[in-house]
Amino acid sequence: MLLLLNKEISCKFERCAGISASRLQLLCKLYQVEEISQTLLQKEIGIDGAAVTRHLKQLEANAMVTRRTKPEDNRITLVSLTDYGRERIITFRQERSQFVDRLLQSFDEAERHQLADMLRIMNGHISDMD
């Protein structure tokens, strides 16, 4: 049931917001920092290197991020949000919030807190499985 729900949520969110959950996750992380190496970004997000590169190339083509090599070590690629990317992330976050509100519209506040608590516990169990 969780796998099916995840698949459905991902598809619906992407259609509503016009961006995949993975790309939004990358943008949210970039929004928190001035600049970050692509390798560290990959590790913090937990997506494989090829996927991060694909996402960043598309985001770069859409003028949301810039990538440059580190002057002291050209093996390192640094990534940052553009001004346009910063504007878009604010919009995407609002769309995500509206999406979640619609998804949980039939839950009262106590049920929402209970669900959040259960998801945190499950996330902790997943972390413990490594």
Side-chain angles (χ1 to χ4, degrees):
M1 286 178 60
L2 285 174
L3 290 173
L4 180 60
L5 181 61
N6 181 53
K7 181 180 176 186
E8 289 294 320
I9 287 173
S10 293
C11 290
K12 296 280 187 197
F13 178 78
E14 190 168 340
R15 277 194 300 248
C16 290
I19 189 169
S20 72
S22 297
R23 287 188 185 156
L24 180 59
Q25 191 177 14
L26 285 169
L27 290 171
C28 285
K29 182 60 186 175
L30 289 169
Y31 189 78
Q32 297 170 3
V33 297
E34 187 69 29
E35 189 171 57
I36 189 170
S37 77
Q38 187 168 324
T39 303
L40 183 56
L41 179 62
Q42 171 201 335
K43 288 177 185 172
E44 292 199 11
I45 300 300
I47 303 173
D48 72 81
V52 169
T53 299
R54 265 192 324 275
H55 290 314
L56 290 175
K57 282 184 178 182
Q58 185 62 48
L59 292 168
E60 192 173 32
N62 292 333
M64 287 193 241
V65 301
T66 59
R67 294 184 302 160
R68 67 181 183 93
T69 56
K70 187 173 184 177
E72 306 83 47
D73 186 348
N74 63 4
R75 296 171 296 171
I76 298 173
T77 301
L78 299 173
V79 185
S80 62
L81 279 179
T82 62
D83 289 340
Y84 175 68
R86 289 194 176 279
E87 292 170 14
R88 293 297 298 145
I89 191 66
I90 292 166
T91 302
F92 290 141
R93 285 174 144 181
Q94 291 168 344
E95 289 170 355
R96 180 180 61 186
S97 179
Q98 291 170 358
F99 180 83
V100 170
D101 285 345
R102 286 182 61 205
L103 185 64
L104 301 176
Q105 67 187 349
S106 63
F107 293 93
D108 65 31
E109 196 64 29
E111 290 170 323
R112 287 179 182 215
H113 285 290
Q114 185 178 20
L115 176 60
D117 289 342
M118 287 188 274
L119 291 173
R120 271 191 287 280
I121 290 167
M122 290 171 66
N123 196 33
H125 291 173
I126 289 290
S127 297
D128 293 343
M129 290 180 181
D130 290 336

